[in-house]
Amino acid sequence: MTDIRIRDYQNSDAEDLNRIAVSAFGQFHDQYQDWPAMLAGRSKTSALSANGEIIVVEFQKQFAGAVA
């Protein structure tokens, strides 16, 4: 059986969330005219939790992704 867990975001998830957001957008860095600005924004993705809901996915007890 696959060990997948869906749960609410917790402040302790901030570093993992920001890292994954940067990684997800990083593959498209050539497509952005101002990649440093986009990188700065994605590095603060966890700040979205102040005004919205973030759902976290864990796979085998490790942070695997999130949806804001």
Side-chain angles (χ1 to χ4, degrees):
M1 177 166 44
T2 305
D3 186 15
I4 297 173
R5 180 176 172 222
I6 299 173
R7 63 172 174 79
D8 291 331
Y9 169 86
Q10 300 170 7
N11 289 335
S12 60
D13 296 319
E15 185 177 330
D16 286 330
L17 174 58
N18 294 337
R19 178 182 47 78
I20 285 179
V22 166
S23 177
F25 280 84
Q27 63 183 316
F28 301 109
H29 73 275
D30 292 342
Q31 306 302 312
Y32 293 97
Q33 292 180 10
D34 190 355
W35 173 246
M38 178 59 106
L39 177 61
R42 293 306 90 204
S43 296
K44 299 175 186 171
T45 299
S46 60
L48 295 172
S49 67
N51 298 318
E53 180 180 26
I54 298 178
I55 304 298
V56 169
V57 177
E58 291 179 343
F59 177 67
Q60 296 180 345
K61 300 185 181 184
Q62 293 194 6
F63 192 98
V67 178

